[in-house]
Amino acid sequence: MVHELFVAAFLCVSGFVSAGILSSFYQLVTGEPPKFRVPFDNALKATLSMIFVLMIGPFLLMRSGFQLYRVEGRPFGWLMASAVLSCLWSVQTGLFIVYVALVL
């Protein structure tokens, strides 16, 4: 049981770190923070944007949760719900990242 929790924690951390790195790289290249918006001008552009949003989603969700808590004064439960959803999303992203790393 403890082994599975360590694996889940490792996947969560690796997914969140990769989301943060990709988000910071996007902000470095474009000069604006990433958002959940997906442009539907072109099918290829929309597909690539959707994949990118799926990869950086945990970071965006936590950033939004912190902003809602600090700026808008939402209850602490909003922040905790955001953290739980972000952790679950990070596990899935981390699983994908680790799987790709092991295949390569």
Side-chain angles (χ1 to χ4, degrees), residues 48-100:
L48 292 176
S49 295
M50 184 64 78
I51 291 170
F52 186 71
V53 167
L54 285 173
M55 293 304 292
I56 66 168
F59 181 77
L60 293 177
L61 192 61
M62 277 306 296
R63 188 181 68 186
S64 298
F66 278 126
Q67 286 176 351
L68 287 174
Y69 179 68
R70 283 186 291 161
V71 176
E72 293 187 14
R74 296 279 172 101
F76 187 69
W78 282 86
L79 182 61
M80 286 296 102
S82 171
V84 167
L85 290 174
S86 179
C87 284
L88 292 174
W89 196 341
S90 288
V91 168
Q92 298 303 317
T93 305
L95 183 64
F96 177 73
I97 294 292
V98 169
Y99 179 75
V100 168

